Amino acid sequence: MSTYTDSAAAPVERVKHGLAAGDVVPPSPDWTIDQGWENYTAEEHGVWKTLYERQTKLLPGRACDAYVEGMRDLPMGPDEIPDFRKLSETLMRKTGWQIVAVPGLVPDDVFFEHLANRRFPAGNFIRKPHELDYLEEPDVFHDVFGHVPMLMNKVFADYIQAYGAGGLRAHKLGTLKNLARVYWYTVEFGLVQQSDGLRIYGAGIASSYTESIFSLDDASPNRIRFDLERVMRTNYRIDDFQEVYFVLNNLDELLELDRIDFAPLYARIQSQPELQPGDILPVDEVLHRGTGAYHGAKKA
Ligand SMILES: C[C@H](O)[C@H](O)[C@H]1CNc2nc(N)[nH]c(=O)c2N1
Ligand SMILES: N[C@@H](Cc1ccccc1)C(=O)O
Ligand SMILES: [Fe+2]
């Protein structure tokens, strides 16, 4: 049963991961900027505090162990927007990653180049008070609160670095669309089965109050065992809750993706029809067959 307030009333918290803005002048060759931590206003720190406290209350029992452990060891709290320099010190020691500030979405090849070199591009801006529930581009709350704790986990940190290298490869192969789906259904909206229950590891969920509830508790979405080719073929929504969540047995499965050569898979799926988010295939290992009520109601 769904325990969150009526979704029609509660605006959906989304962070859009659309294509990089084509109309912005690059601030530097690799699009990085100074975070400008000293320039944050009290109101901006206040927005962080509101989001941080609300999400921190909700995540116990919902976020996966790796996320909880990562957050515990990071210099990140409610009172102010974290200083990327301090986060990078801790991250560098733990998994060799650092956070670099960017003004917003950056071009795909720039994005992958950073990930391949263990640099995580994080927006330095924070959403406005009236945007608490909907955001066009990943802001500092989504990027830092949502993504950074998982970068403290060695398996995940290695996966994201390999993904970056894979992104540069897919960019050259012209198969970015297929690879972006793997990112979307893992790094952004992935769930993992723990012995004590289903848990969130995707940042797009972890940074969203309403989707942290919907993804685990609501009867509407499908929940299907992760399968690489299936995910590569499956389209996704960028401005509403997901209709399907793919579930890993454990995070170690992600390392498998670095051992598989994607080129033959990309070639094979080119001739297969694209799947829509609500589709279920006979071969799917369905953990929960969704009612589709949420999206059905929205269509009506
Ligand atoms: C598929 C594409 O690479 C993906 O959406 C990228 C694009 N550029 C980005 N740029 C930033 N800063 N953050 C992101 O998460 C992304 N996502
Ligand atoms: N193995 C992928 C690269 C990759 C690694 C890890 C995650 C995602 C993609 C390839 O051959 O392109
Ligand atoms: Fe993200």
Side-chain angles (χ1 to χ4, degrees):
M1 55 97 183
S2 61
T3 56
Y4 63 97
T5 51
D6 165 19
S7 56
V12 169
E13 290 169 62
R14 306 291 310 141
V15 170
K16 178 171 166 276
H17 273 262
L19 296 180
D23 55 358
V24 175
V25 175
S28 64
D30 65 1
W31 285 67
T32 57
I33 56 173
D34 181 86
Q35 180 186 3
W37 189 85
E38 298 72 18
N39 306 330
Y40 288 129
T41 64
E43 184 194 60
E44 287 172 315
H45 287 303
V47 171
W48 170 273
K49 186 177 176 76
T50 303
L51 291 165
Y52 182 96
E53 288 179 336
R54 189 171 68 166
Q55 211 51 22
T56 302
K57 263 208 303 288
L58 179 67
L59 286 184
R62 290 177 185 276
C64 69
D65 293 346
Y67 178 96
V68 172
E69 286 151 24
M71 184 60 94
R72 182 195 58 205
D73 299 342
L74 279 164
M76 188 183 326
D79 295 331
E80 53 190 27
I81 294 169
D83 184 331
F84 294 0
R85 291 164 297 197
K86 293 182 184 150
L87 290 176
S88 294
E89 260 174 58
T90 304
L91 259 180
M92 186 55 78
R93 276 200 308 275
K94 193 83 174 13
T95 57
W97 275 81
Q98 60 184 302
I99 312 291
V100 291
V102 290
L105 289 175
V106 304
D108 296 343
D109 55 337
V110 172
F111 182 65
F112 291 122
E113 179 65 22
H114 281 304
L115 296 188
N117 291 283
R118 294 191 182 243
R119 294 187 300 266
F120 189 79
N124 72 326
F125 67 98
I126 192 157
R127 64 195 75 180
K128 297 282 177 282
H130 73 274
E131 288 179 306
L132 281 194
D133 296 325
Y134 183 83
L135 198 65
E136 273 300 296
E137 300 206 1
D139 71 339
V140 65
F141 185 74
H142 166 74
D143 280 330
V144 170
F145 187 92
H147 282 286
V148 172
M150 289 303 293
L151 287 173
M152 292 282 280
N153 173 279
K154 173 151 179 35
V155 165
F156 201 80
D158 290 351
Y159 167 62
I160 301 294
Q161 191 271 329
Y163 177 87
L168 293 171
R169 184 180 189 217
H171 198 68
K172 293 185 178 68
L173 291 171
T175 56
L176 209 46
K177 200 170 166 202
N178 302 119
L179 186 70
R181 291 168 174 164
V182 177
Y183 186 85
W184 191 265
Y185 283 118
T186 57
V187 182
E188 293 299 350
F189 292 95
L191 299 178
V192 61
Q193 187 66 53
Q194 289 185 175
S195 51
D196 53 350
L198 201 53
R199 294 289 184 269
I200 295 161
Y201 71 92
I205 308 177
S207 64
S208 161
Y209 185 81
T210 44
E211 197 150 7
S212 292
I213 295 169
F214 179 83
S215 64
L216 295 179
D217 299 351
D218 203 285
S220 179
N222 294 325
R223 295 179 185 92
I224 297 173
R225 183 74 64 210
F226 178 88
D227 173 275
L228 179 58
E229 273 190 60
R230 169 66 158 90
V231 167
M232 276 185 173
R233 293 178 56 200
T234 307
N235 216 333
Y236 54 82
R237 294 170 167 271
I238 60 170
D239 57 2
D240 203 341
F241 291 150
Q242 298 306 307
E243 285 180 73
V244 59
Y245 296 97
F246 289 95
V247 181
L248 293 177
N249 288 311
N250 59 64
L251 293 178
D252 289 357
E253 281 186 7
L254 294 173
L255 291 180
E256 188 58 30
L257 304 183
D258 192 19
R259 283 193 284 273
I260 297 165
D261 179 357
F262 282 20
L265 303 185
Y266 291 142
R268 190 155 58 225
I269 63 176
Q270 295 320 315
S271 58
Q272 294 169 1
E274 185 176 84
L275 297 170
Q276 294 318 314
D279 291 349
I280 290 188
L281 298 181
V283 291
D284 285 340
E285 187 184 337
V286 180
L287 305 174
H288 169 79
R289 185 176 289 271
T291 63
Y294 173 80
H295 293 91
K298 302 265 284 194
K299 279 191 194 104

